[in-house]
Every structure is written in C-alpha cells, then in structure tokens.
Amino acid sequence: MARTAIEAVGLNKWFGDGEVKTHAVKDVSFEAYLGEILYVVGPSGSGKTTMLSMISGILRPNSGTVKIEGSEIWSLTNDALADFRLHKIGFVFQDFHLFPRLTTAENVAIPLILQKRAWDEALKEAEVDLEVVGLKDRAQLPPVKLSGGEQQRVAIARAIVSRPDILILDEPTASLDGDSGRNIVKFVREHILSDQRCIVIVTHDSRIYEFADRIVKMEDGKMMGIERENLNAQ
Amino acid sequence: MGGILHIAYKLLVNDRAKYAALLLGITFAVFLMIEMTSLFAGILTRSSATVINIGASIWVMDPAIQTVANTIPLPDYVLDEVRSIPGVKYAVPLYSGAALLKLPDGVYQSANIIGLDDTSLFGRPTLENGNIEDIFAENAFIAVKDSEFYKLENPKVGAEFELNDHRGVIVGIAHVASSGLFGVPTLYTTYNRALQYIPSTRFTISYLLVEPKTLADVALIKQQVKAAGYLALTKDEFIQKISSFYKYQTGVGTNMLIMTVISFIIGLSISGQTFYTFVIENLEKFGALKAIGAKGRELIVMILFQAAFVSLTGYGIGVGLCALIIWTARLYLPDYAAIITFSNLVLAFLMVIVIAAISSYVGVRKVLRIEPFDIFRG
C-alpha cells in the first residue's frame, strides 16, 4: 500500500470579515500518496489555489490540519516552514517565475543555493537536472532565450533539484500551447514521478487528464469528491 | 550566505541598464557633494593661508578682527605688555597688508606684503632660491612661488619692481604651505621695510605672534591679553574663527550647503527611484524565492547587499572622478581652490549610506510584504 504523502483534514480558509467575508475553502479533507499524480480540478474561483497554498505551507488555514509524511506543518514556526518548503516541496509556478538575469543553470540551482550549498557544486547539480529535462545544452543561456515549453522544463528542473518528496505544479499547461502542455505533463509522468514522490497538479485543462492517477474536483470551495481514480493503474 | 549574495550580485549587474542608472545616480551625487565640499574646504583653507604659513602658536589681535586679511593695527605698547606676561617665551610683531606693485613691463599688480620681525624673522617661508640673510639687504623682498606667482611675471632672483616709488628687488624665491584666497601674489620682507614702503596708519602692528613657554601658559596668556582689551587665539582657534566668518557671515557657506543638499537630493532621487523600480520588477521573483523557501532575512540581505554594492561602487567612481576633475582643473587653473579632505570623504560616504539605506528600505518593505500566495494567485 502506498504511503501517505499529504493528509489534509477539515481545511477551512476565509478572507475578509463581515459582509465582504469570502469562504474560499470549506472543510476540505483528502489524502495524496507517494508514487501518484493527483489532479485538483475545478473552475476558476473554486478554491484550488488556496487549497494548494495551504497544503504546501504557504497559506495558513483558519482551521484544519495538514500533515506531510506524518508531520503537522502548521505548528511550525515561519522559519521552520520555509525550511520545510525548501527541502520537502518543489514548486512549478504557472508563469514559471524564472530570473531573466540569471542563466538557466543558475535558476535551477536556486533551491540548492538557498540550502547553503556551494555555488559551483549547486551549478553542477543543476546541470544534472537540466540533463534530466533535456536542456543541458541550454545551461548557460538566459531563460528569455528559451521557448515557453523549455522554460517550463527549467522550472521543473528547479523544482526537483533539491529532491523534494512533493511536487506542486500550478496550471502547468496554462502558458503553453496544446501539444507543449501535453508533452510537459507526459514528461513529468514518465521522468519525474517516482515511488518516493507525490505530484499534485492544479489544472482545468481536460486534455491532460489522461496522465492523472486520481482527479479530485473542487467547486465553490468544497471538494466534490474523486472524479476519477487509478486511471493509469487500470 | 555567499551563494545568496552571488545571486543578488548577478541580478544587479546583469540588469545593465538599471545598474548603469544606479551607478550614474550615485556617482553624480558623490561627485557633486565632494566637489562642493572640496571647494568649500579649499576656500576655508586659503582664507587662513597667512595663519597656516606663519605658523605662530598664539596670535594677539584686536577683538574686532574677523579674518586675517582685515587687520586692525595694534599700538606698540601692546607688544611690550604681552612680552611682560609671565609664560610668554617671546612675542614679535607681524605686518600684513596690501600693496600695489609696478612690474618691469609697466603692469600694476596687487600683492600681499608680509613684514617679518627684523630681529627674529619669525614665520619666514622656506626658500627654494636665494639666501634668507639677503632679506636684510637694501630693497629686499622674497617672492612666494604659489599659484599666484606668475602674476609677478615669474620673477627670478634679482628681478626688480616698484612699490610706492620705492625700488624693490627679489632676493629669494620661497614656497609656503597654502596659497592665499584672494588671488594676489605674496611678498615677504622685514617689518620695518614694510612700514617704510607702505603708507601706514598711526598704529602699525597687524598681529603679535606669541610663543608660550609651555602649553599650560596658554590660558594665562589669553586671560592677560583679554584683560588688556585685546584677543589672543591659538593658531587653531584663529583658523576656526576665520572659517566661521566665511561659513556663517558670508553667503559662501550657505550656498555650498544648499548645493550639497541638492546634490544629495538628486542622488537620492535617481538612485531611490531606480532601485525601487529594480525591486518592483523583481518583486514576483522574490515572492517565488519566498515560496521556494527563502527566509525574509535572506531577501533583506540580498537587497541590502545590492544597495551597498552599487553605493560603494558609485562612491568610488564619484571620488575618483572628482579627484580627476580637480587634478585636471589645477593643470589649467592654478587658482582652483578645491581640496579633498578626509572630512569631505566621510561626509559624502555618510550621505551615500543614507541614500542606500533609504533606497533599500523601500525595497525591503515591498519584498517583506509580498506573500508567496500572491505568486500562486498570479
């Protein structure tokens, strides 16, 4: 049986007070396992990103708990939370957020540098992961010289360079054309997923659903249940 | 922390347009601040040139004196009175006044005439050419080879001129520590010859130069001179008094201060605005760093490092540029009075630190406020 990577219980998050109070996430509970790709789907404003932020240690819930591999993260101090994210979670942002003034290799090396690794050593490891995503020959180029798909791969290399157990991809296909989007997610499925890693993807792009192990749907801040399960296991 | 600073450095210098704008702003501000304060320092130093060059420990004068150039003659009995004060090792008279020289080619040239005590020649300049005893020869004067020397038509030993229909002869060429402020050449002669050549008032002593037996006697000498109705100042106090006059009782100090403040504001405006834009353009990236796991203090260190790096680089270039301009100006304008002093450098450095602090403060506030959640929300 797969080990539990993320265990969210009774998550609630609201913004504002009184008449302007918005209940973004309502009593959400779910689990995600190592070795699977879990999709969180739903329309815009359904609370996907808020929920994603709470399980990744970025946004503190108003109530509920999040356990990552058995440890409750919201009892940690801010510094400890930052360390937790640095070592346990890899992020691939929708707009990639690569530094245009750094080379591709330097962008990938950032998490290692934040872990206080030596500059040269971090760059060497970054080049290894650039090779994994097929961009070793682009290591010295600035990201602006790369295509959207290549930038996405650089963002993925940056997310996995510190060997995190949990990878979070926020709308990975939103900035790419149809084929590139599919290829990226296919690449993640084939090369990035492992038995020791859980990948959570927030998307509303139905063209990539085929690469999910499970898909959970959110609507109006609530988790509406599992839409599809063990797609690839069948 | 070294890796983070390396990232901060690359983010800064690889954004060449902004880096250049930041450097330009700081350099320009430093250049202006140092240029203004150096000019002021030069003016203040030159305003006390006679005090510096003569080098007496204590100067006795009329209490109404404001600058060394505006002398109020002292009666001869004051010399005797001062010499009788216990603690005075010796006291000698000094003449300081202006004269109009007629040069060999018929040109009239104003000059500052210093008359040294005939017996001691106390305060004499260092000779480059000639013999100091020759100052006792008939019509003898010593010319000071400073930035105004050429106005005497670059005389050599033996050159002649006229002063109030008296014949004057240059018997020596000397150098002194500081050139005068008013753009006129200086001639040294004996006290009595100065009185003989230049029309004088009833009283003739411009200053009394006093040497105390010990430093402990200075206070007593000052007290006794005050009791006699005159003023005794140490060399540093006299320089300070002259400086204060130019700072506070002429427009020079105020204008220099205003220019220095304007330079500071210009530097702050350019650098602050550019640094703010730099941080704003990278704000989402800083937010992404936070999401990845960078701590707030690490981002602060990055921004402070960037601000400090660009400020110190701009400071160095600004100081170098100012030194180059002053050096070049002196090649073509011997009267150019600017002096870069340690105080000027420290003042400009402190102002650059303030510019860096204010610029980075705005950036730090922005970066600390950005939430990683905002990055997810787009």
Side-chain angles (χ1 to χ4, degrees), chain A residues 15 49-50 52-53 56 58-59 78-80 82-83 85-87 89 91-103 106 110-111 113-114 116-117 119 158 168 170, chain B residues 1-4 6-7 10-12 14-16 18 278 281-282 284-299 302 371-378:
Chain A
F15 300 100
T49 301
T50 305
L52 194 71
S53 301
S56 57
I58 280 176
L59 185 68
N78 286 341
D79 277 1
D83 276 335
R85 291 198 300 270
L86 186 57
H87 291 89
I89 297 186
F91 293 97
V92 179
F93 305 104
Q94 182 176 332
D95 297 326
F96 319 139
H97 290 305
L98 302 172
F99 282 99
R101 309 293 174 190
L102 301 181
T103 65
E106 288 163 351
I110 281 175
I113 290 164
L114 289 174
K116 313 279 190 290
R117 301 276 283 277
W119 181 263
R158 181 176 67 184
I168 288 176
D170 186 24
Chain B
M1 201 58 91
I4 287 173
H6 203 144
I7 292 176
K10 289 211 156 203
L11 290 178
L12 178 69
N14 287 353
D15 192 347
R16 289 183 186 165
K18 289 212 174 48
F278 174 79
E281 280 187 6
N282 284 296
E284 286 193 346
K285 309 294 185 296
F286 281 117
L289 282 182
K290 257 188 175 178
I292 290 169
K295 298 176 184 73
R297 63 175 172 276
E298 289 171 330
L299 300 180
M302 284 177 79
E371 289 293 338
F373 179 55
D374 298 331
I375 303 303
F376 272 120
R377 279 199 299 194

